[in-house]
Amino acid sequence: MSQTVAVFDVGKTNVKLALFDEGRLLWEKSAPNRVLPGPPYPNEDVESAWNFFLDALREVALTHQISAIVPTAHGAAGALIGESKLAAPVMDYEFAGVEVIESDYARLRPPFSESLSPKVPAGLNLGRQLAYQKWRRPDLFAKARYFVGYPQYWAWRLTGVAASEVTSLGAHTDLWAPLQGQVSSLVKALGVHHLLPPLRRAFDPLGPIQPDIAALTGLAPETQVFCGIHDSNASLLPYLISRQAPFTVLSTGTWVILMCVGLSLDQLDPRDDTLANVDALGRPIACGRFMGGREFAVIAGGGGNPDLDAVERVIGSGAMALPCFSDQGGPYAATKGIIRGEVAAHDQTALATLYCALVGDLMLTRMGATSGDLIIEGTFAGNLAFCQTLGALRPKQRVFAAEDVVGTARGAAMLAHWPPSYPITAPAPVPAASISGLDAYRDAWTAAINSIARRATNA
């Protein structure tokens, strides 16, 4: 029987339970994450996720002795909780109906200079979700005792202990002032300060699991639960303790989050969807984001990864994917994506790969991230053509790829023994590649998107 850390990883697309022993993945199981249509608004299917979690714990407890549980979850989700259950459903951040309050909310939003949180669509600013719940569903809001980030909701459900935590509060919520290390002026303006429980660190133990959960799962009653962390920040943890700044981690999945450690915040521009997230130690980190995983799927129309020959065929054809293929994230979210030219069906994944590499390169340049290593983790780390194309676009920076797709969960597991005493597995260097015609193609692609942006501005 081994001592293990169980990580409950709630992503936008999937929920997962993963077990680790000193950084080694022992076991994992996943299921699709669902959104319910409402009423009162589209919301996270927390009960399905919870039942998956309990079933998976019950299954794995037969063969492993779990010593700790760490939750991690995607950003832009938060929970209004009452004495013993949710006071209101956890809003799906893609609920566009939340924007009906925008004119009132805009008067309360702190300036970007305070929050370093750009205005983003739908419910991606967690503060907008909270304002909507207060103003449009006062019947539910009145039942709330606390408002917590999504990782901390799962910690509360396991322990009964409510906590606030900076990586969740600082993830483009409008609720945090990163440079001051405190809640923003929005908290007072919205009148919700009383709903925020005491601030705890991501690696703080909140207590043991509740007795009924121990009985349901077969876990030991003394199993500790840790406060938990925003998922992109979990991906960053292994590199914060094993590398010297500057460096950039590209955490890839449904979203591509570019986290530039050691970079000045001076070039952040809310119009580009660049911002500051806050790491587990409370420090602001320059970040950019675009919905790369979803855009890749739209352009590619199917699965699989291309080779560089396919990328060169697309370049040679002159065909281009021009942003944006999602209505959320990145500097061109307000423009509708188009594909110019013809691409063979078997080269659509190459077109999608080239597009995502170009958007990543564009955002890194605009942020001023021109030095330091680039580390790709998550889904795109398994796409060698993406890694090599990004490297060819940025030849002065070394590119590395994490060799597994559980970087978020692996980073979260570290919180149970922080700082970890075991060695951190280094990502693999990506071999450099020369890609014929890439520089000229980037120039033409950039000119095309600039033209689209000018037309949109003048419309």
Side-chain angles (χ1 to χ4, degrees):
M1 301 281 279
S2 61
Q3 294 283 328
T4 66
V5 176
V7 174
F8 187 37
D9 182 0
V10 184
K12 177 62 176 171
T13 306
N14 295 295
V15 293
K16 178 188 298 180
L17 182 71
L19 269 63
F20 294 88
D21 179 9
E22 294 192 339
R24 295 185 296 272
L25 178 65
L26 302 178
W27 185 93
E28 66 175 326
K29 188 173 186 177
S30 64
N33 194 11
R34 300 194 305 162
V35 172
L36 302 176
Y41 40 72
N43 58 87
E44 296 279 342
D45 188 353
V46 297
E47 293 309 313
S48 288
W50 179 247
N51 289 331
F52 162 81
F53 186 33
L54 294 180
D55 289 344
L57 283 174
R58 189 179 302 115
E59 177 183 344
V60 78
L62 298 173
T63 54
H64 295 79
Q65 182 178 340
I66 296 173
S67 60
I69 300 173
V70 180
T72 183
H74 64 81
L80 286 165
I81 54 178
E83 292 298 326
S84 61
K85 62 181 181 180
L86 280 171
V90 175
M91 187 183 294
D92 172 34
Y93 66 64
E94 295 188 77
F95 171 49
V98 73
E99 294 187 2
V100 298
I101 66 164
E102 184 55 31
S103 60
D104 293 322
Y105 181 70
R107 288 192 284 270
L108 303 185
R109 278 190 87 232
F112 183 76
S113 59
E114 178 189 347
S115 69
L116 299 180
S117 172
K119 177 184 181 294
V120 282
L124 281 167
N125 294 125
L126 192 53
R128 188 183 292 111
Q129 291 186 34
L130 189 56
Y132 179 93
Q133 289 168 314
K134 180 177 182 179
W135 297 338
R136 294 303 174 102
R137 292 309 308 254
D139 55 325
L140 301 177
F141 189 87
K143 300 175 183 178
R145 181 180 178 187
Y146 292 118
F147 180 73
V148 296
Y150 208 24
Q152 288 69 53
Y153 164 71
W154 300 105
W156 168 80
R157 192 151 180 181
L158 288 163
T159 65
V161 178
S164 297
E165 189 275 326
V166 291
T167 68
S168 297
L169 282 176
H172 51 84
T173 66
D174 296 341
L175 298 167
W176 191 252
L179 297 177
Q180 289 74 41
Q182 62 187 30
V183 295
S184 75
S185 56
L186 176 64
V187 172
K188 180 178 180 180
L190 199 55
V192 295
H193 199 287
H194 66 289
L195 292 178
L196 299 182
L199 195 65
R200 303 289 294 273
R201 296 172 298 182
F203 43 83
D204 282 348
L206 298 187
I209 56 174
Q210 301 197 70
D212 61 326
I213 295 171
L216 281 170
T217 61
L219 269 62
E222 63 272 17
T223 304
Q224 288 291 309
V225 179
F226 287 76
C227 186
I229 189 168
H230 171 228
D231 57 6
S232 295
N233 275 285
S235 302
L236 183 61
L237 285 177
Y239 309 105
L240 285 179
I241 62 172
S242 63
R243 285 184 172 263
Q244 294 293 320
F247 63 87
T248 296
V249 174
L250 286 78
S251 177
T252 67
T254 303
W255 289 88
V256 174
I257 311 294
L258 307 98
M259 297 174 283
C260 306
V261 178
L263 184 68
S264 167
L265 306 177
D266 293 344
Q267 289 185 234
L268 298 180
D269 187 332
R271 294 170 296 183
D272 290 338
D273 204 2
T274 56
L275 63 151
N277 280 338
V278 180
D279 73 13
L281 301 177
R283 301 171 300 192
I285 303 290
C287 293
R289 351 167 298 142
F290 66 102
M291 218 170 191
R294 182 169 294 178
E295 293 193 84
F296 183 98
V298 171
I299 299 167
N305 294 320
D307 56 27
L308 284 184
D309 288 343
V311 172
E312 289 193 340
R313 284 197 299 272
V314 171
I315 291 171
S317 75
M320 293 180 182
L322 300 170
C324 177
F325 297 87
S326 165
D327 60 356
Q328 301 175 49
Y332 298 104
T335 62
K336 185 173 178 57
I338 59 170
I339 295 175
R340 291 183 180 172
E342 298 293 329
V343 174
H346 60 271
D347 283 342
Q348 286 179 314
T349 56
L351 179 66
T353 294
L354 189 55
Y355 169 85
C356 290
L358 285 163
V359 175
D361 170 62
L362 173 76
M363 296 196 73
L364 289 168
T365 297
R366 289 189 177 182
M367 293 169 68
T370 56
S371 62
D373 294 342
L374 303 174
I375 302 136
I376 301 164
E377 73 85 33
T379 308
F380 284 7
N383 184 340
L384 180 60
F386 170 84
C387 300
Q388 291 185 305
T389 302
L390 186 62
L393 289 166
R394 310 188 70 78
K396 295 182 179 180
Q397 296 175 267
R398 298 184 301 172
V399 178
F400 295 81
E403 294 185 337
D404 64 67
V405 293
V406 293
T408 293
R410 193 185 304 279
M414 292 180 175
L415 297 173
H417 303 285
W418 185 261
S421 58
Y422 52 84
I424 307 303
T425 301
V430 173
S434 175
I435 301 176
S436 178
L438 180 61
D439 288 342
Y441 184 93
R442 173 172 53 186
D443 292 342
W445 183 85
T446 302
I449 61 173
N450 287 341
S451 175
I452 291 171
R454 284 194 297 270
R455 288 199 300 272
T457 300
N458 295 330

